[in-house]
Amino acid sequence: MKSIFVLVDCNNFFAACEQCFDLSLKNKPVIVLSNNDGCVVSRSVKAKQIGIPMGVPFFKIRNQVIKYDVKVFSSNYQLYGDMSKRVMSLIKERFNKVEIYSIDEAFIDLTNSLECKDHKEELKSLRNYILKCTGITVSIGIAQTKVLSKIANEIAKKDPEYEGVCDLNRSSDSDLNRLLKLVKIEDVWGIGKNYANWFKQYGVYNALDLKNFDKTFVKRKFGVVGERLILELNGISCLKLNENVEPKKRIVSSRSFPKEITKFEDIENAVSYHCSNVAEKLRRQNSVARMIGVFLIKNRFKEYTETITSSHEILNTQTSYTPELCSVCLKLLKKIFKPGNLYKKCGVFASEITREDNTQYHLFENFDSKIKIKQKSLMQKFDLINKKWGKGSIKLGSEGFEKNWRMSQNYLSKRYTTNWDELPVVR
């Protein structure tokens, strides 16, 4: 039996989210910027048509923005995250085997599915359903393998003939080869610019060339990952659906500052914020950490003997209790902070992560189960309040109130779906 994989991908997702709640943006060039309003990370169709490239620094296109009246937005992660959850929940309503691959992509496995006889028509219905419920347009690729479904998705996105759904399983071998020949080697899933340059040395310029390339030779260079890629292009499924997201083994929270910071108090606030963020992520996956650490990054364009300094501590007992972790992080910060240095970024990391129910307590620790129960209850209420009323509604005092270290978001839109004070107004 042929395997059937489907990739659902939201078109121009960040820009599309902004357009959903502001009808004046329809058919207008829209761009979304990265952290600190640095580079373009999402573009609407019109923005692509006027030639704004992906990843270009914002300062380089200011004249173009003025000339074409481009609407500019800072990244609104709360809005995009919530819209992503809505899209993914709609997919899961109709299909059982779903892997959420990224914030705007999901794979579906229909290999042994009796859910629908005509997969293409059912997926067209899903596409219309998502558009109706969220305002987000998706492209859908259907193929025998994940890699081919990724290619099918790109075809569906770029060629209006497919009306947003491309089924490569219906293509003959000659038609499939013709389509693969149109896909540049650097556009194949898993092949970056550096790998593409290596393949081009051996005459591999597109997906069809890679499909017919010697997989044994590729395996010697790239290992089993390269071999699987070629097998997938030949219709042999190697990458299975990952329905259950594995708990993270390492969690990092960090952010660049909008400008260089020298004051200890500002960095202390930032480290406290990132530590709270790491602790919340640990609790979200029902985990605890034994190691916690802090790092500072100085401006790499200045003359420093080292640009990154860090310190970590192994805890006696694994924990996800925010006050305890924050206390350790601030102690580590005092060890590595040096007055007069120009710091550009800071962050907190946690590792040696295990499930909470597998916590190993220190042999000589004065363990009090009542205190642990109270701490867990406190953190549950802490997370519940922030989930209901918005992140940061309740926080540690060490996070402070001045936001000198917060990233620049000069073009931030409203959090239309997650903040009561910013709900869309109907006139």
Side-chain angles (χ1 to χ4, degrees):
M1 178 184 292
K2 279 187 176 182
S3 56
I4 304 173
F5 284 96
V6 178
L7 177 63
V8 182
D9 186 9
C10 302
N11 296 352
N12 318 313
F13 182 55
F14 291 178
C17 289
E18 300 293 352
Q19 291 176 309
C20 282
F21 295 95
D22 188 345
L23 296 180
S24 68
L25 299 177
K26 190 175 181 180
N27 297 321
K28 295 284 182 68
V30 176
I31 60 173
V32 177
L33 304 176
S34 62
N35 294 341
N36 291 315
D37 297 334
C39 302
V40 176
V41 293
S42 183
R43 306 162 295 162
S44 67
V45 173
K46 291 292 183 181
K48 293 177 183 178
Q49 290 174 350
I50 63 175
I52 295 179
M54 180 68 93
V56 64
F58 180 50
F59 74 88
K60 288 188 176 182
I61 57 167
R62 286 188 184 274
N63 292 336
Q64 205 171 0
V65 166
I66 296 171
K67 179 179 179 180
Y68 293 101
D69 190 26
V70 178
K71 306 304 178 184
V72 181
F73 293 92
S74 304
S75 288
N76 188 338
Y77 297 116
Q78 287 194 39
L79 174 63
Y80 308 151
D82 187 68
M83 291 296 287
S84 173
K85 289 178 184 176
R86 295 177 185 222
V87 171
M88 300 308 167
S89 67
L90 295 175
I91 296 172
K92 288 183 175 181
E93 276 183 24
R94 298 203 174 189
F95 300 99
N96 294 324
K97 294 185 176 182
V98 178
E99 173 191 343
I100 299 176
Y101 182 70
S102 69
I103 193 171
D104 62 349
E105 293 176 291
F107 285 103
I108 307 170
D109 186 355
L110 298 179
T111 302
N112 296 309
S113 175
L114 298 177
E115 292 166 340
C116 52
K117 293 181 180 179
D118 190 333
H119 297 300
K120 187 170 184 179
E121 288 305 314
E122 180 67 10
L123 290 163
K124 280 186 177 180
S125 173
L126 172 67
R127 185 173 186 265
N128 294 332
Y129 184 49
I130 292 173
L131 180 61
K132 177 183 176 182
C133 295
T134 66
I136 299 293
T137 301
V138 301
S139 296
I140 299 177
I142 312 167
Q144 284 181 249
T145 69
K146 277 187 169 182
V147 172
L148 287 174
S149 69
K150 192 87 169 174
I151 290 173
N153 188 281
E154 286 299 314
I155 294 170
K157 193 177 293 184
K158 294 176 181 178
D159 193 337
E161 177 188 341
Y162 291 93
E163 298 179 335
V165 182
C166 175
D167 186 356
L168 291 184
N169 283 343
R170 296 188 178 193
S171 301
S172 64
D173 289 343
S174 59
D175 284 341
L176 177 58
N177 288 339
R178 177 180 58 82
L179 291 170
L180 291 178
K181 193 172 184 178
L182 299 175
V183 180
K184 296 178 181 178
I185 183 64
E186 53 264 33
D187 294 334
V188 176
W189 189 30
I191 303 291
K193 185 176 180 181
N194 291 335
Y195 286 172
N197 291 334
W198 183 87
F199 277 111
K200 287 176 183 179
Q201 295 176 9
Y202 297 93
V204 178
Y205 295 97
N206 54 56
L208 180 60
D209 292 338
L210 183 58
K211 175 185 175 181
N212 297 324
F213 199 55
D214 184 358
K215 62 178 180 291
T216 305
F217 182 66
V218 171
K219 185 178 180 180
R220 286 202 297 268
K221 174 68 176 178
F222 300 106
V224 70
V225 175
E227 182 184 30
R228 286 175 180 169
L229 181 58
I230 294 178
L231 290 172
E232 288 257 328
L233 287 171
N234 281 276
I236 301 170
S237 180
C238 302
L239 306 173
K240 304 304 179 185
L241 204 70
N242 184 16
E243 296 176 72
N244 301 315
V245 179
E246 292 291 324
K248 293 180 179 179
K249 299 298 183 184
R250 180 180 171 87
I251 294 176
V252 180
S253 177
S254 65
R255 193 77 77 208
S256 296
F257 303 133
K259 57 184 179 181
E260 294 165 337
I261 289 180
T262 58
K263 289 177 63 178
F264 177 82
E265 291 77 13
D266 290 336
I267 298 179
E268 181 184 43
N269 293 346
V271 166
S272 297
Y273 169 83
H274 291 306
C275 183
S276 294
N277 200 26
V278 166
E280 190 273 330
K281 289 180 179 181
L282 283 168
R283 294 191 293 271
R284 195 189 306 165
Q285 64 177 29
N286 298 315
S287 298
V288 288
R290 183 178 293 279
M291 189 180 86
I292 191 77
V294 175
F295 64 87
L296 298 175
I297 299 179
K298 298 186 279 288
N299 191 330
R300 62 190 177 94
F301 297 106
K302 304 291 184 181
E303 293 183 1
Y304 292 114
T305 54
E306 57 179 359
T307 56
I308 302 176
T309 53
S310 66
S311 183
H312 68 271
E313 182 170 313
I314 304 296
L315 308 174
N316 287 335
T317 303
Q318 302 109 311
T319 186
S320 62
Y321 185 52
T322 301
E324 182 179 350
L325 291 174
C326 192
S327 176
V328 175
C329 285
L330 295 183
K331 181 178 70 175
L332 295 173
L333 174 62
K334 290 175 182 177
K335 286 172 58 178
I336 62 175
F337 176 84
K338 292 183 179 179
N341 283 342
L342 301 174
Y343 292 104
K344 191 62 181 172
K345 184 177 183 178
C346 78
V348 172
F349 58 92
S351 61
E352 297 191 27
I353 295 172
T354 58
R355 287 176 55 87
E356 184 181 17
D357 51 15
N358 291 335
T359 302
Q360 292 183 341
Y361 296 100
H362 195 274
L363 181 61
F364 301 107
E365 182 181 21
N366 185 17
F367 176 74
D368 189 334
S369 61
K370 290 182 180 179
I371 292 178
K372 295 296 180 184
I373 291 171
K374 285 183 179 180
Q375 289 178 347
K376 184 174 181 179
S377 177
L378 177 61
M379 290 297 98
Q380 286 174 342
K381 292 178 174 61
F382 192 94
D383 295 337
L384 184 62
I385 291 171
N386 282 328
K387 183 178 180 181
K388 184 174 182 178
W389 299 104
K391 191 170 184 179
S393 297
I394 183 171
K395 59 186 179 181
L396 295 178
S398 58
E399 292 184 37
F401 295 97
E402 294 185 9
K403 307 300 180 185
N404 297 330
W405 57 271
R406 288 290 178 95
M407 65 179 178
S408 296
Q409 291 179 300
N410 297 322
Y411 309 96
L412 187 65
S413 60
K414 293 182 179 180
R415 296 163 291 180
Y416 297 105
T417 63
T418 59
N419 189 294
W420 287 106
D421 296 327
E422 299 178 12
L423 292 175
V425 177
V426 179
R427 292 185 175 89

